[in-house]
Structure formats: C-alpha cells, structure tokens
Amino acid sequence: MSLITPELAKLHLRVDGDDEDQLIALYTDAAEETAMEFINRTVYADADELADAVLAGTAGQDPMVVTKSIQAAILLILGDLYANREDTVVGTIVASLPRGAQALLQPYRVQMGV
C-alpha cells in the first residue's frame, strides 16, 4: 500500500485529468523511496501493514507507521520531482532533497543515512 494516494498526489500537484497518472505514480514511488532512504527506516501505511511485515520478518530495522510530517515531506519531494523534470535546472542551486522535506524527515532519521 502506498503512503500517498493518487488522489492526494494529484491534489498536491494541482493536476486534473488522467494524462499524467503513470508519471505521477512513478514520481510518488520515487518520493516515498527517497524519504525512507533518508530516514533509514521502512515506513508503512498503517499499523496492520506494519504488523504483517513484522510477522513475515520483512519489516526491517526501526520500522514505523507513516506520520503526517512524513506524508508532507513525500509530497514536497513529489512536487519537486514533478516541477523539475530534468536532472539540472539552469540558474538554480541544485540540492539532493528539498529543505522543507529534509526538515520534516529529520526527527525520524536513524543512523547517518544517504
């Protein structure tokens, strides 16, 4: 289960219609992966999903249920990916993670991370 619904992603991006659904899904997955890599934890959509992963032995180290701050950070990363579709944007500072997203994720980070 995804941490961000397609409807919420499109609302955040202010996208109407279905033309870019595949691209938005790709960026949403990448944003979720980026957030989890930064905090060095696997994040689950709800307690049931976390419990299932723990029982299966696939939860990883320090797993947690998604918080509103993590969802907001994912949306910020998603927005950055959607708005900046090229690897380098001329005339701007290149950063690996939007500052707002980093600030929202920092309290959940364990170890040094990526």
Side-chain angles (χ1 to χ4, degrees):
M1 179 183 291
S2 183
L3 304 175
I4 301 295
T5 65
E7 296 79 19
L8 181 58
K10 288 171 75 171
L11 180 65
H12 177 73
L13 298 173
R14 296 185 177 114
V15 171
D16 294 323
D18 303 335
D19 293 346
E20 297 187 331
D21 283 0
Q22 186 176 1
L23 180 65
I24 292 169
L26 173 71
Y27 288 161
T28 301
D29 290 346
E32 290 178 3
E33 286 177 20
T34 299
M36 285 190 269
E37 286 175 11
F38 181 78
I39 64 174
N40 285 318
R41 300 171 87 168
T42 303
V43 181
Y44 295 91
D46 56 42
D48 291 336
E49 188 177 313
L50 173 58
D52 290 344
V54 169
L55 286 174
T58 60
Q61 196 170 20
D62 297 315
M64 65 179 291
V65 174
V66 71
T67 65
K68 297 296 182 189
S69 293
I70 292 173
Q71 284 181 316
I74 291 167
L75 289 172
L76 289 174
I77 297 166
L78 170 64
D80 187 63
L81 290 171
Y82 185 80
N84 301 300
R85 297 180 187 205
E86 301 298 326
D87 199 22
T88 304
V89 179
V90 176
T92 65
I93 298 171
V94 178
S96 58
L97 191 66
R99 289 181 187 231
Q102 187 173 351
L104 289 166
L105 293 170
Q106 191 67 42
Y108 303 100
R109 193 171 189 191
V110 295
Q111 303 170 1
M112 285 302 292
V114 176

